[in-house]
Amino acid sequence: MVSRWYDVLGRVFRFAGPKTAAFTVEFIGTFFLVLTIGLNVTQGDKYTAPIAIGSILMVMIFMGGHISGAHYNPAVTFGVRLTGRDHISTLRAMCYLAMQLLAATSGAAAAYGITGKSFATLPGPGQGYTEVFFVEFLYTFALVSVMLNCATTRSQSMNSFFGLAIGFTVASGAYSVGSISGGAFNPAVAFGSTLVHGIASKGTFKYLWVYWIAELMGSLFAAIVFRITNDSEYRKQAAIAKVDHQSVNYREIPSTEEEI
């Protein structure tokens, strides 16, 4: 009986695993990122919170980088998609976005369930839309730039420091501008925390748009700068595509796995 069930589960995992692995990892990584943010913020530990948040992001990136690319952030997914190079399709990017938003909401809800307190990404005392927009734009630009250059280029494909670089970018940003904007640099964090706070504590949604626009614009500018400063990436890709095209004599290569 046990052997039969093991065989059945094995068939299910062999069929579903390759198709769902990346989305599962995106959910797990984003969930633990937002959960860690929530547990630190609601307990008022503002001095060590950035280190905890940067550290959980770092280890989650090392955990899932080889499976999904470890985005855990719609701004990162947006930036990777904009740079092209066949890293991610539009449909797959949309699936990543859905998982990131669901995971962020779940992580914020879990933090509320554990502590009994909700949290939201909001401007600091005395800060307005302009200040929030500016710092979220700048540090999202920095985060996406680090991600693109450390984790998506051929020249850095064998490095072992990309998780550390990305985690410390978030920690540095949180220490620098957390008191101004809350230090999100991630539309999913802003969405999940604001949604749960709005439902659980009747918090406001009026600042949510500024985080999304600032962070996506930061990602857009990071993608533009990456394209300008990494021309070799695109020349290498064009050369590889030309070789591949010639080697198959214009015949299609049958695919054994459906790509999203």
Side-chain angles (χ1 to χ4, degrees):
M1 179 65 73
V2 173
S3 177
R4 184 182 304 171
W5 277 108
Y6 184 82
D7 289 341
V8 171
L9 288 174
R11 294 191 190 99
V12 171
F13 292 149
R14 281 194 297 273
F15 173 77
K19 299 178 183 299
T20 61
F23 309 125
T24 302
V25 166
E26 284 297 308
F27 181 94
I28 293 170
T30 310
F31 174 86
F32 277 101
L33 172 61
V34 178
L35 175 63
T36 302
I37 294 171
L39 292 177
N40 279 271
V41 169
T42 55
Q43 295 179 83
D45 192 357
K46 63 181 180 180
Y47 298 108
T48 60
I51 293 297
I53 294 164
S55 296
I56 193 66
L57 179 59
M58 175 186 69
V59 297
M60 287 294 113
I61 288 171
F62 282 129
M63 179 274 293
H66 66 292
I67 299 173
S68 71
H71 295 184
Y72 313 146
N73 184 338
V76 169
T77 300
F78 184 55
V80 172
R81 181 67 191 97
L82 288 176
T83 61
R85 301 171 297 145
D86 300 323
H87 275 279
I88 191 169
S89 67
T90 300
L91 179 57
R92 193 179 187 89
M94 292 173 65
C95 292
Y96 273 31
L97 171 63
M99 296 306 293
Q100 290 158 358
L101 296 180
L102 178 61
T105 305
S106 301
Y112 174 69
I114 293 169
T115 65
K117 300 176 184 178
S118 62
F119 73 102
T121 308
L122 297 170
Q127 306 298 331
Y129 291 104
T130 303
E131 294 86 354
V132 170
F133 182 92
F134 192 58
V135 299
E136 287 291 321
F137 169 84
L138 287 176
Y139 277 91
T140 304
F141 170 84
L143 172 61
V144 177
S145 294
V146 171
M147 174 71 176
L148 291 175
N149 283 280
C150 290
T152 72
T153 57
R154 292 186 180 89
S155 62
Q156 300 291 336
S157 61
M158 299 301 291
N159 80 68
S160 58
F161 57 77
F162 63 100
L164 187 65
I166 296 164
F168 266 92
T169 303
V170 170
S172 300
Y175 272 125
S176 300
V177 301
S179 61
I180 299 174
S181 68
F185 325 131
N186 185 331
V189 171
F191 174 84
S193 64
T194 302
L195 179 61
V196 172
H197 186 62
I199 294 172
S201 305
K202 298 182 179 179
T204 182
F205 289 83
K206 70 178 183 178
Y207 295 105
L208 183 59
W209 67 270
V210 74
Y211 288 92
W212 273 77
I213 293 177
E215 290 155 3
L216 292 179
M217 285 190 65
S219 178
L220 170 63
F221 274 76
I224 292 171
V225 172
F226 178 86
R227 180 64 181 86
I228 294 170
T229 57
N230 286 273
D231 186 62
S232 60
E233 282 287 305
Y234 297 88
R235 285 191 281 107
K236 288 178 182 177
Q237 184 184 27
I240 291 171
K242 182 177 180 181
V243 171
D244 289 344
H245 186 61
Q246 292 173 344
S247 66
V248 297
N249 290 324
Y250 306 99
R251 291 181 297 174
E252 278 191 20
I253 300 175
S255 177
T256 57
E257 180 178 344
E258 181 182 355
E259 291 188 2
I260 294 180

